[in-house]
């Protein structure tokens, strides 16, 4: 709950520190394989994982659409634009942020589960890496912030860059960083923006 009082960069740093703390806990926890991680039994087909991902995409998009078109969505937009003004008109910022966490956490957890079922092995240093935050920022900025379709377009761009272009000449996160700079310069509002 104290985390909900933070704003902007302070909030981002605090969530990063929490992820690092959780990674340290899992790195020592023998039940989940400690630092060596664990293998995940994968008896699913590629088509099954695809349809599970598609269902999750539709559910997440529908949930976000519903949230944005509800009275909470208007309050969420007000909090995003100016927290002090939102407080002045009577919006409970802590409640709005809590609702967003309660909705987004299960969806992010399901997406991570699908990813690691495909990856087969999960280790604490990989699962709690700061690069996941960088990937999320890239996806949102590349696709277009403040749009419903932006993260979907950004995720497609991310997959194309990560799987295909990085595979062609390597560079990994450096390639994504260069692509992000070009996208911000050429399309400051993102592809969907």
């Amino acid at each position: 709950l104290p985390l909900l009082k933070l704003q902007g960069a302070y909030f981002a740093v605090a969530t990063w520190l929490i992820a690092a703390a959780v990674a340290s806990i899992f790195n020592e926890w023998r039940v989940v394989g400690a630092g060596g991680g664990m293998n995940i039994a994968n008896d699913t087909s590629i088509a099954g994982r695809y349809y599970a991902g598609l269902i999750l995409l539709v559910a997440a998009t529908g949930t976000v659409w519903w949230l944005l078109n509800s009275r909470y969505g208007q309050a969420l937009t007000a909090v995003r634009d100016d927290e002090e003004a939102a407080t002045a008109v009577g919006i409970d910022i802590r409640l709005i942020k809590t609702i967003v966490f309660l909705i987004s956490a299960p969806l992010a957890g399901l997406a991570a589960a699908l990813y690691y079922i495909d990856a087969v092995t999960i280790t604490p240093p990989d699962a709690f890496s700061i690069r996941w935050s960088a990937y999320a920022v890239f996806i949102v900025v590349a696709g277009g912030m403040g749009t419903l379709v932006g993260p979907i377009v950004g995720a497609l761009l991310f997959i194309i860059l990560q799987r295909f272009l990085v595979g062609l000449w390597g560079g990994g996160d450096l390639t994504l960083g260069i692509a992000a700079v070009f996208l911000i310069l050429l399309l400051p509002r993102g592809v969907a923006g």
Side-chain angles (χ1 to χ4, degrees):
L1 291 176
L3 188 66
L4 298 177
K5 293 181 180 179
L6 300 175
Q7 299 178 24
Y10 299 108
F11 180 76
V13 169
T15 55
W16 176 27
L17 292 174
I18 287 174
V22 171
S24 295
I25 292 168
F26 277 92
N27 208 30
E28 299 297 324
W29 196 17
R30 302 272 179 234
V31 174
V32 294
M38 62 190 298
N39 290 331
I40 299 170
N42 184 3
D43 57 353
T44 62
S45 66
I46 292 174
R49 292 191 302 272
Y50 169 78
Y51 286 117
L54 186 62
I55 290 168
L56 181 58
L57 172 67
V58 169
T61 304
T63 301
V64 171
W65 180 86
W66 168 78
L67 181 65
L68 291 177
N69 289 305
S70 69
R71 66 186 182 109
Y72 292 111
Q74 292 176 346
L76 185 60
T77 303
V79 170
R80 179 198 67 198
D81 292 343
D82 189 345
E83 285 192 21
E84 291 178 8
T87 302
V89 296
I91 295 173
D92 185 356
I93 294 174
R94 292 179 76 179
L95 175 66
I96 295 301
K97 287 183 178 181
T98 303
I99 289 170
V100 168
F101 275 121
L102 290 174
I103 292 172
S104 64
L107 293 173
L110 287 170
L114 277 174
Y115 173 82
Y116 279 108
I117 285 172
D118 190 48
V120 180
T121 301
I122 181 170
T123 62
D126 184 47
F128 297 101
S129 171
I130 189 63
R131 70 183 162 88
W132 291 111
S133 297
Y135 292 167
V137 169
F138 175 86
I139 288 168
V140 172
V141 170
M145 289 190 289
T147 64
L148 187 60
V149 73
I152 297 169
V153 171
L156 289 172
L157 265 169
F158 174 77
I159 293 298
I160 290 168
L161 285 169
Q162 187 191 39
R163 298 277 169 106
F164 299 114
L165 293 182
V166 171
L168 286 176
W169 62 72
D173 292 342
L174 179 62
T175 302
L176 289 173
I178 292 169
V181 169
F182 278 116
L183 279 169
I184 290 171
L185 291 174
L186 298 174
L187 302 166
R189 296 184 61 200
V191 174

